[in-house]
Coordinates of all heavy atoms in Angstrom, one line a residue:
N46 N 246.4 -24.4 43.0 CA 247.3 -23.3 42.7 C 247.5 -22.9 41.3 O 248.2 -21.9 41.0 CB 248.7 -23.6 43.3 CG 248.7 -23.8 44.8 OD1 247.6 -23.6 45.4 ND2 249.8 -24.2 45.4
E47 N 247.0 -23.8 40.4 CA 247.2 -23.6 39.0 C 248.6 -23.4 38.6 O 249.0 -22.5 37.8 CB 246.3 -22.4 38.5 CG 244.8 -22.6 38.6 CD 244.0 -21.5 38.1 OE1 244.5 -20.5 37.6 OE2 242.7 -21.7 38.1
S48 N 249.5 -24.2 39.2 CA 250.9 -24.2 38.8 C 251.5 -25.5 39.1 O 251.0 -26.3 39.9 CB 251.7 -23.1 39.7 OG 251.7 -23.5 41.0
A49 N 252.6 -25.8 38.3 CA 253.2 -27.2 38.5 C 253.8 -27.4 39.9 O 254.3 -26.4 40.4 CB 254.3 -27.3 37.4
Q50 N 253.6 -28.6 40.4 CA 254.1 -28.9 41.7 C 255.3 -29.9 41.5 O 255.1 -30.9 40.9 CB 253.0 -29.5 42.6 CG 251.8 -28.7 42.8 CD 252.2 -27.4 43.6 OE1 252.8 -27.5 44.7 NE2 251.9 -26.2 43.0
V51 N 256.4 -29.6 42.0 CA 257.6 -30.5 41.9 C 258.0 -30.9 43.3 O 258.3 -30.0 44.2 CB 258.8 -29.8 41.2 CG1 260.0 -30.7 41.1 CG2 258.3 -29.3 39.8
E52 N 258.0 -32.2 43.6 CA 258.4 -32.6 44.9 C 259.2 -33.9 44.8 O 258.8 -34.9 44.3 CB 257.2 -32.9 45.8 CG 257.6 -33.2 47.3 CD 256.4 -33.5 48.2 OE1 255.7 -32.5 48.5 OE2 256.2 -34.6 48.5
I53 N 260.4 -33.8 45.3 CA 261.3 -34.9 45.2 C 261.8 -35.1 46.7 O 262.3 -34.2 47.3 CB 262.6 -34.6 44.3 CG1 262.1 -34.1 42.9 CG2 263.5 -35.8 44.2 CD1 261.5 -35.1 42.0
L54 N 261.7 -36.3 47.2 CA 262.2 -36.6 48.5 C 263.5 -37.5 48.4 O 263.6 -38.2 47.5 CB 261.2 -37.4 49.3 CG 259.8 -36.7 49.6 CD1 259.0 -37.5 50.6 CD2 260.1 -35.3 50.2
E55 N 264.4 -37.3 49.3 CA 265.7 -38.0 49.3 C 265.6 -39.4 49.9 O 266.4 -40.2 49.6 CB 266.8 -37.2 50.0 CG 267.1 -35.9 49.2 CD 267.3 -36.1 47.7 OE1 268.0 -37.1 47.3 OE2 266.8 -35.2 46.9
S56 N 264.6 -39.7 50.7 CA 264.5 -41.1 51.2 C 263.0 -41.5 51.2 O 262.1 -40.6 51.1 CB 265.1 -41.2 52.6 OG 264.4 -40.3 53.4
L57 N 262.8 -42.8 51.2 CA 261.5 -43.4 51.1 C 260.6 -43.0 52.3 O 261.0 -43.1 53.5 CB 261.6 -44.9 51.1 CG 260.4 -45.7 50.6 CD1 260.1 -45.4 49.2 CD2 260.7 -47.2 50.8
E58 N 259.4 -42.5 52.0 CA 258.4 -42.1 53.0 C 257.6 -43.3 53.4 O 257.5 -43.7 54.6 CB 257.5 -41.1 52.4 CG 257.6 -39.7 53.0 CD 256.6 -38.8 52.4 OE1 255.9 -39.1 51.5 OE2 256.5 -37.6 52.9
V59 N 256.9 -43.9 52.4 CA 256.0 -45.0 52.7 C 256.3 -46.1 51.7 O 256.6 -45.8 50.5 CB 254.5 -44.6 52.4 CG1 253.6 -45.7 52.7 CG2 254.2 -43.3 53.3
F60 N 256.4 -47.3 52.1 CA 256.7 -48.4 51.2 C 255.5 -48.5 50.1 O 254.4 -48.5 50.5 CB 256.8 -49.8 51.9 CG 257.8 -50.6 51.3 CD1 259.1 -50.7 51.8 CD2 257.5 -51.4 50.1 CE1 260.0 -51.5 51.2 CE2 258.4 -52.2 49.5 CZ 259.7 -52.2 50.1
P61 N 255.9 -48.4 48.8 CA 254.8 -48.3 47.8 C 253.7 -49.3 47.9 O 252.5 -49.0 47.7 CB 255.6 -48.4 46.5 CG 257.0 -48.2 46.8 CD 257.2 -48.5 48.2
S62 N 254.0 -50.5 48.3 CA 253.0 -51.5 48.3 C 251.9 -51.3 49.4 O 250.9 -51.9 49.4 CB 253.6 -52.9 48.6 OG 254.1 -53.4 47.5
T63 N 252.2 -50.4 50.3 CA 251.2 -50.2 51.4 C 250.2 -49.1 51.0 O 249.3 -48.8 51.7 CB 251.9 -49.7 52.7 OG1 252.7 -48.6 52.4 CG2 252.8 -50.8 53.2
L64 N 250.4 -48.5 49.8 CA 249.5 -47.5 49.3 C 248.2 -48.1 48.8 O 248.2 -49.2 48.3 CB 250.2 -46.7 48.2 CG 251.4 -45.9 48.6 CD1 252.1 -45.3 47.4 CD2 251.0 -44.8 49.6
P65 N 247.1 -47.4 48.8 CA 245.9 -47.9 48.2 C 246.1 -48.2 46.7 O 246.8 -47.5 46.1 CB 244.9 -46.8 48.4 CG 245.5 -45.8 49.3 CD 247.0 -46.0 49.3
T66 N 245.5 -49.3 46.3 CA 245.8 -49.8 45.0 C 244.6 -50.2 44.2 O 243.6 -50.7 44.8 CB 246.6 -51.2 45.1 OG1 247.7 -51.0 45.9 CG2 247.1 -51.6 43.7
R67 N 244.6 -49.8 42.9 CA 243.5 -50.4 42.0 C 244.1 -51.3 41.1 O 245.0 -50.9 40.3 CB 242.8 -49.2 41.3 CG 241.6 -49.7 40.5 CD 240.7 -48.5 40.1 NE 239.8 -49.0 39.0 CZ 240.1 -48.9 37.8 NH1 241.1 -48.3 37.3 NH2 239.2 -49.3 36.9
R68 N 243.9 -52.6 41.1 CA 244.6 -53.6 40.3 C 243.9 -53.8 39.0 O 242.6 -53.9 39.0 CB 244.8 -54.8 41.1 CG 245.6 -54.6 42.4 CD 246.0 -55.9 43.1 NE 246.6 -55.6 44.3 CZ 247.9 -55.6 44.5 NH1 248.7 -55.8 43.5 NH2 248.4 -55.3 45.7
E69 N 244.7 -54.0 38.0 CA 244.1 -54.3 36.6 C 243.4 -55.6 36.6 O 242.4 -55.8 36.0 CB 245.3 -54.3 35.6 CG 244.8 -54.1 34.2 CD 246.0 -54.0 33.3 OE1 246.6 -55.1 33.0 OE2 246.3 -52.9 32.8
S70 N 244.0 -56.6 37.3 CA 243.5 -57.9 37.3 C 243.4 -58.4 38.7 O 244.3 -58.2 39.5 CB 244.4 -58.9 36.5 OG 244.1 -60.2 36.9
V71 N 242.2 -59.0 39.1 CA 242.1 -59.6 40.4 C 242.8 -60.9 40.5 O 243.1 -61.4 41.6 CB 240.7 -59.7 40.9 CG1 240.0 -58.4 41.1 CG2 239.9 -60.6 40.0
Y72 N 243.1 -61.5 39.4 CA 243.7 -62.9 39.4 C 245.2 -62.9 39.6 O 245.8 -63.9 39.9 CB 243.3 -63.6 38.1 CG 241.8 -63.6 37.9 CD1 241.2 -62.8 36.9 CD2 241.0 -64.3 38.8 CE1 239.9 -62.7 36.8 CE2 239.6 -64.2 38.7 CZ 239.1 -63.4 37.7 OH 237.7 -63.4 37.6
A73 N 245.9 -61.8 39.3 CA 247.3 -61.7 39.4 C 247.7 -60.4 40.0 O 247.1 -59.4 39.7 CB 247.9 -61.9 38.0
G74 N 248.7 -60.4 40.9 CA 249.1 -59.2 41.6 C 250.6 -59.1 41.8 O 251.3 -60.1 41.8
W75 N 251.1 -57.9 41.8 CA 252.5 -57.7 42.1 C 252.7 -57.3 43.5 O 251.9 -56.5 44.0 CB 253.1 -56.6 41.2 CG 253.0 -56.8 39.7 CD1 251.8 -56.7 39.0 CD2 254.0 -57.3 38.9 NE1 252.1 -57.0 37.7 CE2 253.5 -57.4 37.6 CE3 255.4 -57.5 39.1 CZ2 254.2 -57.8 36.5 CZ3 256.1 -57.9 38.0 CH2 255.5 -58.1 36.7
V76 N 253.7 -57.8 44.2 CA 253.9 -57.5 45.6 C 255.4 -57.0 45.7 O 256.3 -57.8 45.5 CB 253.6 -58.6 46.5 CG1 254.0 -58.3 48.0 CG2 252.2 -59.0 46.4
S77 N 255.6 -55.8 46.1 CA 257.0 -55.3 46.3 C 257.6 -55.9 47.6 O 257.0 -55.8 48.6 CB 257.0 -53.8 46.5 OG 257.2 -53.2 45.3

Side-chain angles (χ1 to χ4, degrees):
N46 296 354
E47 295 183 357
S48 67
Q50 301 296 305
V51 179
E52 186 180 285
I53 309 288
L54 297 188
E55 292 312 319
S56 59
L57 194 64
E58 245 184 354
V59 181
F60 215 95
S62 279
T63 58
L64 296 170
T66 309
R67 183 164 168 267
R68 298 185 187 266
E69 199 178 74
S70 161
V71 292
Y72 307 108
W75 299 79
V76 175
S77 266

